[in-house]
Amino acid sequence: MSDTIENVKCLIIGSGPAGYTAAIYAARANMNPVLYQGTQPGGQLTTTNEVENFPGYPEGITGPEMMIELQKQAQRFGTDVRDGWITKVDFSGDTHKVWVNEEKEIHCETVIISTGASAKYLGLDSEQKYLKLGGGVSACAVCDGFFYRNQEVVIVGAGDSACEEAHYLSKLCKKVTMLVRRDEFRASKIMEARVRNTENIEILMNTETEEVIGDGQVVTGVKVKNNQTNEVTEIPATGFFVAIGHKPNTDIFKEYLELDETGYIINKPGTAKTNVNGVFVSGDAADHVYRQAITAAGTGCMAALDAERYLAAKDSEFEVSTSTYN
Ligand code: NDP
């Protein structure tokens, strides 16, 4: 552990659209934000090829380019952007303590958590290969579905997300094949009924992915196995969508913050406030419903404004309490 403790007015954890937007607002409000990027600088968007649905980019922009632009904008107003991974926090006292890489200790007046969520993948080598190549594997139908217009795609998963995404894809694609590993859905009945009643969605029950097939550059099909009959078949497809859930990156906060049953941070409705004064949340760490760059950016703005108001209220309390002694 280091013996020098740094004091920071506003610490932002995470470098996706939520974190950088919070940084832009906090920096412009003279809060001298320090932003730690985490292990995936730029967040989930860096795994997306083309972002076409963020307002203001009529020709689209790649995910990594967009994150570089956001970082530059945050730095232009003085955000101190640092490499590093927050490994531990202590929100039990008035001063919020945060440790970077198990070593450096920071005392913060406000903390904005923008640690995001990670999409779960099957973990097959072939899936990871085409994901890294940007060749047809995606965990976000709303982000990438458009690139598969009039094509045939496969989606794996049977929860509400998978149903919602399959339905979304069915409006763009010629055919959607949905792979359900058990003999029943996890999704709510109404969501299941929606996919069952959609003509161009074919549902294969008891079916698991064996391999994502491709030509070395892009996906051309999916090899699947029926786990009851062991029959293996190949489905032609140019896109392979994985919708088997997300994991919010909130483990280090669970001792102090209220989380829902899947680990998302619970914010006070209509605000970015958590149950701990001075600790705010933005982006996917608190959002399992929308999960878009633009909604993350919006809540990043909210978090910075809430933090600024919190500091202003604290300062005026201090002025009132010191003036009583004068
Ligand atoms: P869920 O955890 O609810 O569902 C995950 C699905 O993926 C399950 O069907 C699971 O199968 C399947 N799965 C997991 N691992 C694998 C694997 N290795 N191979 C194949 N299939 C796999 O996640 P969701 O993201 O769907 O939903 C998360 C939460 O968000 C839920 O509470 C949901 O209700 C909510 N939500 C609500 C929406 C809405 O109301 N509009 C929209 C989206 C989400 P199995 O069932 O066999 O475990």
Side-chain angles (χ1 to χ4, degrees):
M1 295 273 164
S2 69
D3 6 311
T4 24
I5 294 171
E6 185 182 2
N7 291 300
V8 164
K9 201 185 245 187
C10 177
L11 186 88
I12 299 169
I13 312 175
S15 55
Y20 280 131
T21 305
I24 292 164
Y25 275 78
R28 295 184 81 252
N30 283 340
M31 290 161 72
N32 310 323
V34 172
L35 180 148
Y36 276 92
Q37 290 187 307
T39 49
Q40 191 184 9
Q44 288 181 80
L45 268 192
T46 53
T47 61
T48 302
N49 276 338
E50 198 73 16
V51 181
E52 291 187 330
N53 53 8
F54 200 97
Y57 295 97
E59 304 305 324
I61 182 167
T62 70
E65 272 169 348
M66 187 180 174
M67 296 322 300
I68 290 167
E69 299 281 272
L70 279 170
Q71 178 175 342
K72 278 195 214 153
Q73 195 174 352
Q75 285 173 318
R76 182 180 151 214
F77 298 111
T79 305
D80 183 351
V81 177
R82 299 179 185 172
D83 286 338
W85 178 241
I86 306 301
T87 45
K88 193 171 97 171
V89 298
D90 179 351
F91 295 157
S92 60
D94 283 345
T95 301
H96 304 310
K97 299 177 183 168
V98 163
W99 283 265
V100 186
N101 299 333
E102 301 283 343
E103 281 179 355
K104 185 180 167 59
E105 183 174 341
I106 304 184
H107 288 186
C108 318
E109 287 182 60
T110 60
V111 177
I112 296 178
I113 299 169
S114 316
T115 47
S118 306
K120 293 183 192 161
Y121 288 93
L122 298 176
L124 298 169
D125 289 345
S126 54
E127 169 206 57
Q128 291 302 307
K129 174 178 160 185
Y130 287 103
L131 174 68
K132 287 190 186 109
L133 283 170
V137 172
S138 168
C140 180
V142 177
C143 318
D144 297 326
F146 193 69
F147 303 116
Y148 302 92
R149 271 166 302 159
N150 304 320
Q151 299 173 38
E152 298 190 10
V153 298
V154 169
I155 183 165
V156 56
D160 283 334
S161 296
C163 291
E164 202 167 70
E165 302 216 341
H167 192 251
Y168 181 88
L169 290 169
S170 72
K171 289 188 263 164
L172 297 167
C173 303
K174 193 154 72 176
K175 185 179 173 194
V176 179
T177 305
M178 195 169 182
L179 310 180
V180 177
R181 69 176 171 183
R182 290 187 294 136
D183 61 355
E184 61 178 359
F185 277 71
R186 181 180 293 270
S188 53
K189 292 292 167 223
I190 188 163
M191 301 288 264
E192 178 182 345
R194 192 186 289 170
V195 292
R196 286 196 182 279
N197 294 332
T198 303
E199 214 173 310
N200 62 340
I201 300 180
E202 183 183 4
I203 300 164
L204 303 180
M205 305 301 287
N206 299 306
T207 301
E208 293 177 39
T209 311
E210 289 267 289
E211 189 187 344
V212 178
I213 306 164
D215 63 5
Q217 293 297 318
V218 294
V219 171
T220 55
V222 182
K223 193 189 281 183
V224 301
K225 181 166 132 186
N226 182 305
N227 56 29
Q228 301 299 298
T229 62
N230 287 332
E231 189 192 352
V232 175
T233 45
E234 271 186 34
I235 305 165
T238 48
F240 181 70
F241 287 86
V242 187
I244 61 172
H246 284 75
K247 186 180 181 314
N249 302 317
T250 57
D251 282 354
I252 56 167
F253 309 112
K254 64 182 173 207
E255 199 180 322
Y256 304 99
L257 298 186
E258 275 172 27
L259 309 179
D260 73 7
E261 67 284 353
T262 24
Y264 288 91
I265 295 171
I266 298 174
N267 56 304
K268 297 198 175 140
T271 76
K273 296 174 188 169
T274 68
N275 58 301
V276 175
N277 282 336
V279 178
F280 305 89
V281 63
S282 60
D284 289 9
D287 172 20
H288 67 261
V289 179
Y290 300 104
R291 296 196 298 241
Q292 299 301 300
I294 186 70
T295 48
T299 55
C301 160
M302 288 166 66
L305 293 178
D306 282 347
E308 185 195 351
R309 285 166 196 167
Y310 166 82
L311 287 173
K314 234 172 88 172
D315 285 349
S316 58
E317 264 171 41
F318 178 73
E319 276 162 26
V320 170
S321 67
T322 49
S323 65
T324 55
Y325 294 101
N326 290 334

